[in-house]
Amino acid sequence: MTTRRKFLTTGALAGAASLAAPAVVRAQAPIKWRMQTYAGAALGEHVIKPAIEAFNTIANGQMEIELYYADQLVPTAELFQAMQSGTIDCVQSDDDSMASPTDVTVFGGYFPLALRYSLDVPALFTKYGLKAIWEEEYAKVGVKHISAGSWDPCNFSTKKPINSLKDLEGLRIFTFPTAGRFLTQFGVVPVTLPWEDVEVALQTGELDGLAWSGITEVYTVGWANVTDYFLTNNISGAWIGHFFANMDRWNEVPPHLQKMLETCFEQSHYYRQHWYWAGEADLRINGGKLKLTTIPDAEWATVQDAAVKFWDEIAAESPVKAKVVEIIKKYNETMVQAGPPYRY
């Protein structure tokens, strides 16, 4: 039987033990990442900021991402190098803009005429095997490829009207490296500038226009205020962009937070799909600032034929590039054979 004396003695000893060796509870410091996007602040409000705010909220103090916009920490062309070295932990960009030293770099951004619609991108990555290729190529250089997604098409927004291919000759155009390489055969002069300098360059005449985005972005970032015409023909139906991380930093993150990052980034891809898709149609009709022009289909077919030749040139550069081009060709052949609504 437990007597009152034994109870008090036991309780006193237990209390003394508790006082002698108190439990120490320490809150673990949150994991902190610095992330830079290729997008400027105005565009970033839509294409990345909501995803980062959502992640920081859901992470509930376990992890926090500090977001930086285009060129705030390093120039966009140095994003890959900064991420690889650990100066930046995470990046949102296409491969082309950040000068990625991989065999898949030319396919990021706008690979000419390879894509018709935004859904082509996730279909190619998840169903046709591009995801595995990207993961392998980036792992070779110490970078984690987290996910790929589609953005807007690539149209021309210019100060002069474009009604034929001849009108492209001599135009100084802000565009992506691979897109610029392709467009030179039509007389375009590709120009590279910091993203935030583009609007001023259009005002001063340093640029004649841009082939950087669809009409949604042109209005969102203010370029519709300094250009006059929008060409409805596009050199790609969707931009391929990605989320990347320094591999060592990625491996330091617990699995549940890795999954949370992947989920928030996938939600970000989804948001951009419907935001751009709706905006591209609405602003053509209701934008009010840009006049629409079109190169006739028969003449634009010249560009489409040139794109296929360009694919073959790229494929000849390496086995990895050849493999990606083969997948792109197979995918497009399937879409054409399937007919509307996949291809018209």
Side-chain angles (χ1 to χ4, degrees), residues 87-101:
T87 303
I88 297 173
D89 304 299
C90 188
V91 164
Q92 179 196 37
S93 180
D94 64 285
D95 317 71
D96 214 15
S97 296
M98 69 175 189
S100 164

Side-chain angles (χ1 to χ4, degrees), residues 33 64 70 72 85 87 90 120 144 156 158 177 189 192 235 240 248 258 269 280 287 290 310 318 333:
W33 272 15
E64 181 181 350
Q72 284 190 329
S85 66
T87 303
C90 188
D120 290 341
K144 168 67 178 177
F156 286 85
T158 56
V189 180
T192 301
I235 61 171
I240 301 178
D248 291 336
Q258 290 179 349
H269 292 317
E280 295 306 300
L290 300 176
F310 183 76
S318 79
E333 288 169 3

Side-chain angles (χ1 to χ4, degrees), residues 92-231:
Q92 179 196 37
S93 180
D94 64 285
D95 317 71
D96 214 15
S97 296
M98 69 175 189
S100 164
T102 69
D103 271 354
V104 296
T105 296
V106 294
F107 303 105
Y110 295 112
F111 191 58
L113 280 296
L115 306 166
R116 181 69 62 88
Y117 306 117
S118 57
L119 277 175
D120 290 341
V121 177
L124 278 162
F125 273 81
T126 60
K127 180 71 174 178
Y128 281 73
L130 292 193
K131 179 177 175 60
I133 296 173
W134 257 250
E135 287 178 348
E136 182 178 352
E137 290 304 303
Y138 278 96
K140 292 176 183 177
V141 290
V143 167
K144 168 67 178 177
H145 176 262
I146 301 173
S147 68
S150 61
W151 295 31
D152 51 339
C154 185
N155 297 74
F156 286 85
S157 183
T158 56
K159 298 168 76 171
K160 301 176 182 178
I162 300 174
N163 295 295
S164 69
L165 291 179
K166 187 172 179 59
D167 293 332
L168 293 174
E169 295 179 5
L171 292 185
R172 293 159 296 181
I173 299 294
F174 174 65
T175 189
F176 292 79
T178 300
R181 174 180 166 185
F182 172 70
L183 290 170
T184 55
Q185 64 187 290
F186 302 104
V188 169
V189 180
V191 178
T192 301
L193 289 171
W195 192 91
E196 294 287 1
D197 293 344
V198 171
E199 185 170 347
V200 173
L202 286 164
Q203 291 174 305
T204 61
E206 185 180 354
L207 286 176
D208 298 307
L210 44 98
W212 181 266
S213 68
I215 200 168
T216 307
E217 194 163 321
V218 171
Y219 273 85
T220 300
V221 304
W223 293 337
N225 300 325
V226 289
T227 55
D228 300 294
Y229 299 93
F230 182 83
L231 181 65

